[in-house]
Amino acid sequence: MNSPIRVLDAHTTNRWADVGALIFEYMGATQAELGLPVPVSLDELPARMQNECRDPGSVYRDPGVFLVACHGDRPIGGVGLKPLPGTDAVQVSRLYARPGHRGGTGKLLMEHAHRHAEQRGFARLVLDVMPQRHQVIGLYRRLGYTEVEREDHRSFRMLSMERLITPA
C-alpha cells in the first residue's frame, strides 16, 4: 500500500538538511536547463546560493516558510515562501519535485503554500519562472496566477506572475 504524501513545515519539523539538498538539486536542474555546467558540490555555486543550501532557515524565516513534501519519511519535493519587505506579498521560490514524483506533488505543495500565505495575512503571492518551463507555468495558471510586468535585472529572461489571496 502506498503511503500518502505529507507536506511538512521545515521550521516545525527541523527538516533543514532535506531542504538544503532539495534546493541544491533544484539549482543543478536550473543550471542544466540554462546550458551551464551542473554543480557537483556546494562549493561550485555562488556564495549567495551556497548560503541558501547551507542555511535555508535564514532565508525562509517566519512568516515565510519552506514546505517539504514527503513520501513516507523520504523528501520528494519542496517550495519556499519569502516575504517581500515593505509589501503585502510573499515570493514563491524553488518549487521542485524530484523525478519520479512529478504530476501532483507541485500542485499539493502550492496548495499548502497558498494556505500558509493566507494564514499569515499576505494579500498576494508573486513568482518568477523561466519561460521555457511550460509545464509549471501551466500549473501556475491553473492555480490562478496571471502574468504581470515587473522590472527585472537578471541576465536571462523570466516570466513574472502573481496570484491574489482569496480568503475561503
Side-chain angles (χ1 to χ4, degrees), residues 33-137:
E33 284 181 64
L34 293 171
L36 300 171
V38 176
V40 294
S41 75
L42 288 179
D43 296 330
E44 296 176 29
L45 293 172
R48 179 184 62 79
M49 292 178 167
Q50 287 181 29
N51 180 60
E52 188 176 351
C53 293
R54 287 191 173 114
D55 186 14
S58 70
V59 176
Y60 299 97
R61 293 184 300 269
D62 191 50
V65 70
F66 200 96
L67 301 169
V68 180
C70 292
H71 185 257
D73 196 43
R74 187 171 164 257
I76 60 170
V79 67
L81 295 179
K82 296 186 281 187
L84 295 176
T87 74
D88 61 356
V90 63
Q91 180 180 4
V92 177
S93 299
R94 314 293 189 212
L95 176 62
Y96 178 72
R98 287 183 163 152
H101 296 282
R102 296 180 178 153
T105 303
K107 180 177 187 252
L108 180 64
L109 283 162
M110 289 303 293
E111 289 168 347
H112 281 263
H114 295 163
R115 279 194 292 282
H116 179 88
E118 181 182 349
Q119 290 168 353
R120 296 299 193 280
F122 292 101
R124 59 197 171 99
L125 297 108
V126 299
L127 60 88
D128 295 308
V129 59
M130 294 182 346
Q132 64 267 38
R133 289 185 169 164
H134 301 288
Q135 244 182 329
V136 76
I137 291 169

